[in-house]
Amino acid sequence: MAAENFLAGYKADYRKIFIYKGLPHTEFLKNLKDVLQVTHCIIVGSSDMHGVSDYAFVLGVLTGQQVRTFIYTGGAYEKDYEELDIQNRSFFHCYDNLSEMFNYISTKYEQYRIADLQHVSMTKLLTLGIPFTSDSFSKYIAKDDTEKCQLFLDAGMLANAYTAEGVPMLCVATRNDSFDKVKWLLEKGADINAVAKDRGYSAVMDAVWRKNYEITEYLIDKGARLDFISSDGQPILVLAVGNGNVRIVELLLEHGANPDIEDSMGMSARGYANLFKKPALIELMEKYPPKTPA
């Protein structure tokens, strides 16, 4: 009961298994099936099971499965338990004090929980035939498949992961116009200003390139920088003017994007607006006159 109360306090998913002398074979096989599925094990009343062959067999199974096991010896720390503890130090821990055992588990519980979640999630991915790679992760980001994406994160993938071509997941989501995945990735800790190695675009530049006002506005509100220069030498406003999206140009100007930063050709967003005779853009630019040196 003490172990059950302890685990209930953590809202842990656990299974209660009985091993005793004279246990029917069918019941033992059912127990064994459960043992094969656990990732951590607490054994209490082990002194009462000393000499029970089924119990010894279960200990062997736990050893073979490398299941981290905590054994309360009931105050009878016998030599066989001592040898078990020494030989399997990484996975078996024997205690003759119940409080000491629970205190130790408490200090490690979160670490065990995360490791268990990673193991279960990785197993689910492999069972589904999904490789645990960043490119595979990006595939489900592009599909806007939250369930599969969460499995990747739970299995240990980072929200800041890059594809093999060097594209951050946030840029993958943006290039696929997936507003939900953009928000989801930021909530999971993605770097809003991560830059893709293929174009040198950040996510907000990708949003401008896609003419996606909603994502552009959201990323700006979340603190995206607007002073990046792409790998081909384009400032974000030059990119926006080239796309001809007046609303996005206005949004960028309102949030401090500089219309006079020049690209690799020596032209600025203001210059392109005039060159291509874009009245609506020229009118917008006039609201933001060039800054004169102090």
Side-chain angles (χ1 to χ4, degrees):
M1 182 62 70
E4 291 179 76
N5 291 337
F6 172 77
L7 293 171
Y10 284 98
K11 297 182 179 179
D13 178 20
Y14 68 90
R15 305 172 189 188
K16 192 172 182 180
I17 300 171
F18 292 98
I19 301 291
Y20 54 89
K21 190 173 183 178
L23 180 70
H25 188 62
T26 53
E27 190 67 21
F28 172 70
L29 291 178
K30 178 180 177 297
N31 285 341
L32 184 59
K33 182 179 179 181
D34 286 339
V35 170
L36 290 171
Q37 297 180 50
V38 303
T39 57
H40 297 79
C41 182
I42 295 175
I43 297 176
V44 295
S46 60
S47 59
D48 297 330
M49 293 183 281
H50 184 62
V52 178
S53 60
D54 287 347
Y55 173 56
F57 183 77
V58 167
L59 288 179
V61 171
L62 292 170
T63 302
Q65 294 286 107
Q66 295 187 329
V67 174
R68 191 174 297 278
T69 303
F70 303 90
I71 304 174
Y72 171 54
T73 63
Y77 200 95
E78 301 176 21
K79 187 172 180 57
D80 53 348
Y81 288 122
E82 183 177 2
E83 290 175 354
L84 181 69
D85 199 6
I86 292 172
Q87 293 171 10
N88 302 280
R89 182 68 69 179
S90 297
F91 297 98
F92 278 77
H93 307 269
C94 296
Y95 295 86
D96 58 8
N97 183 291
L98 202 57
S99 295
E100 183 182 344
M101 181 175 76
F102 290 148
N103 287 338
Y104 178 81
I105 297 173
S106 294
T107 64
K108 299 287 186 179
Y109 188 86
E110 185 61 16
Q111 176 184 326
Y112 294 157
R113 186 194 66 78
I114 292 172
D116 184 33
L117 180 61
Q118 289 181 341
H119 172 75
V120 170
S121 301
M122 184 72 77
T123 300
K124 285 182 180 178
L125 285 172
L126 296 179
T127 300
L128 291 169
I130 301 173
F132 184 68
T133 65
S134 59
D135 280 354
S136 183
F137 183 34
S138 72
K139 173 183 173 181
Y140 290 97
I141 291 289
K143 288 183 175 182
D144 199 11
D145 189 330
T146 302
E147 183 179 354
K148 300 291 192 314
C149 290
Q150 188 62 54
L151 276 179
F152 274 96
L153 286 194
D154 290 343
M157 186 67 69
L158 298 176
N160 277 324
Y162 286 66
T163 68
E165 294 182 348
V167 181
M169 294 303 144
L170 191 61
C171 288
V172 172
T174 304
R175 293 178 187 185
N176 284 277
D177 297 314
S178 179
F179 188 27
D180 285 343
K181 279 297 154 291
V182 167
K183 292 190 290 185
W184 183 81
L185 283 165
L186 288 177
E187 289 169 0
K188 301 300 180 182
D191 179 2
I192 196 170
N193 293 312
V195 176
K197 295 179 181 178
D198 56 353
R199 301 172 184 159
Y201 285 10
S202 63
V204 71
M205 292 188 77
D206 274 320
V208 170
W209 171 67
R210 293 289 302 169
K211 302 182 183 180
N212 192 313
Y213 184 90
E214 184 180 36
I215 293 180
T216 301
E217 181 180 42
Y218 181 77
L219 290 171
I220 291 174
D221 287 344
K222 289 295 180 180
R225 288 172 51 192
L226 301 180
D227 57 353
F228 282 115
I229 304 293
S230 68
S231 56
D232 61 358
Q234 281 189 313
I236 194 167
L237 258 178
V238 168
L239 183 63
V241 168
N243 277 344
N245 191 303
V246 177
R247 288 184 70 214
I248 288 180
V249 171
E250 183 175 22
L251 179 68
L252 293 172
L253 286 168
E254 287 174 350
H255 286 85
N258 190 337
D260 298 304
I261 295 178
E262 296 179 349
D263 64 9
S264 58
M265 303 292 292
M267 287 286 287
S268 67
R270 191 190 305 276
Y272 281 116
N274 285 298
L275 178 66
F276 295 115
K277 297 183 170 73
K278 302 282 187 179
L281 295 179
I282 293 171
E283 185 178 346
L284 274 178
M285 301 290 177
E286 288 174 350
K287 297 179 182 179
Y288 299 88
K291 295 179 181 178
T292 56

